[in-house]
Amino acid sequence: MALKIVEFFGFPPLSPLASGYISGKQCPYTVSPCIKPNHGACSVRQTTSEPIICCPNRLYAENYRVLREVAAEVFGQQIELITAAEGRARKGSESLTGSEVIAFGKGWGGELPLPRPKRADGAKSGAYYVDWILARIDADGELQEFTAVEVQTIDTTGNYRDQSDAYFAGETFDGWSKSGMNWENVNKRILPQLIYKGHVLRREARCSKGLFFVCPEQVYQKIRDRLGNNLHEYPVGPGTLSFRSYQLGDVDPSTMQRPLVRTAVQN
């Protein structure tokens, strides 16, 4: 196994544009502390692969574009995605228009737990959380309908701290680290969680458009392979699971960053 860092704190390694984010260990996409500050990698690649997004916050680039795209698709192009705090403020000032969708999630109001599954031995099982709930409210601030969004990338195996240490020190790194991608995690963790969360949400009357799963293109392809590469198309509705995958485009010379490119729409 061999692995190389493609993006370090949002930019090509050793880019001067990343220096402020590196020194403060800040995420350039969420403008918050980096959730993986010890290695700072947003995306990586193996010897025969395109860049693979390995940090969930990398998918929140372009002002949480992935969430805004889901919200517009589900509730209409006229909606406005806002935080819970903004929703409370507008309700207090009686300025809600009925076109608001409130996002509950990381940094926007906290992840929301789902009911715990019952175990045969009667013991409590671990809690499950949904990354995001997108809730459409009316002009009085009352909930009308909602959809759930799960955002996942891919974990790595081994260690590429040697590269990170070099980049933190402002030094070049030649070669590759002995590390790889944890594709088995798709089978052991991601698929079981999607099945359970989708099942729970089917019982929620106001979850009108089911569960959306946002992930890197490579993760989506692994899920397709695991399921026999045969996913049937369904209209988005209660109880459905919809996949939205993204990959990285080429570096934009004006920003020295890579844009997100949507690659799959599978309902």
Side-chain angles (χ1 to χ4, degrees):
M1 295 184 294
L3 181 145
K4 182 173 293 231
I5 295 175
V6 174
E7 294 175 306
F8 188 65
F9 284 91
F11 295 86
L14 304 182
S15 169
L17 296 176
S19 59
Y21 298 106
I22 295 171
S23 61
K25 295 192 174 181
Q26 292 287 302
C27 173
Y29 307 110
T30 63
V31 194
S32 62
C34 176
I35 60 175
K36 298 182 178 181
N38 291 329
H39 62 67
C42 311
S43 64
V44 298
R45 72 180 181 93
Q46 296 181 284
T47 53
T48 58
S49 75
E50 293 297 315
I52 303 172
I53 298 170
C54 63
C55 176
N57 279 0
R58 179 64 178 89
L59 284 167
Y60 299 140
E62 301 168 45
N63 193 23
Y64 292 83
R65 172 185 147 200
V66 297
L67 297 182
R68 297 179 192 281
E69 289 184 345
V70 170
E73 178 181 346
V74 171
F75 303 117
Q77 295 294 326
Q78 78 288 349
I79 65 92
E80 180 185 7
L81 194 67
I82 62 175
T83 66
E86 290 172 321
R88 287 191 294 269
R90 293 187 188 188
K91 184 175 182 179
S93 63
E94 299 184 347
S95 60
L96 289 170
T97 65
S99 63
E100 291 90 355
V101 172
I102 296 178
F104 295 93
K106 298 175 181 178
W108 286 43
E111 296 173 281
L112 300 180
L114 295 176
R116 296 186 181 189
K118 294 181 179 179
R119 287 176 38 172
D121 59 6
K124 289 185 178 180
S125 62
Y128 283 87
Y129 288 81
V130 177
D131 286 335
W132 296 91
I133 293 291
L134 307 183
R136 184 176 70 84
I137 59 175
D138 62 17
D140 295 321
E142 298 298 322
L143 174 66
Q144 298 302 297
E145 57 181 333
F146 72 91
T147 194
V149 183
E150 191 73 8
V151 178
Q152 295 274 0
T153 52
I154 187 68
D155 295 330
T156 56
T157 61
N159 191 304
Y160 49 94
R161 186 66 181 268
D162 49 355
Q163 289 186 63
S164 296
D165 287 347
Y167 297 146
F168 275 121
E171 301 170 352
T172 59
F173 182 89
D174 297 323
W176 300 72
S177 297
K178 292 182 178 180
S179 187
M181 313 309 297
N182 187 9
W183 297 119
E184 188 57 29
N185 196 40
V186 172
N187 303 329
K188 290 182 177 180
R189 183 172 66 85
I190 293 178
L191 278 175
Q193 286 195 24
L194 287 179
I195 292 169
Y196 174 72
K197 292 176 183 181
H199 178 70
V200 169
L201 290 166
R202 288 183 63 185
R203 296 178 287 183
E204 297 293 333
R206 295 192 182 184
C207 186
S208 58
K209 300 299 188 295
L211 173 65
F212 282 76
F213 181 62
V214 176
C215 64
E217 168 67 9
Q218 295 90 342
V219 173
Y220 170 68
Q221 291 302 330
K222 286 294 180 182
I223 290 175
R224 287 189 63 95
D225 292 344
R226 183 67 180 86
L227 298 178
N229 202 29
N230 185 24
L231 295 177
H232 297 288
E233 290 277 356
Y234 295 94
V236 174
T240 57
L241 172 59
S242 301
F243 293 92
R244 300 293 181 268
S245 69
Y246 294 79
Q247 64 185 19
L248 297 179
D250 295 331
V251 174
D252 182 341
S254 65
T255 63
M256 293 306 295
Q257 291 186 312
R258 293 173 179 264
L260 288 177
V261 179
R262 193 161 81 165
T263 52
V265 176
Q266 175 78 51
N267 299 328

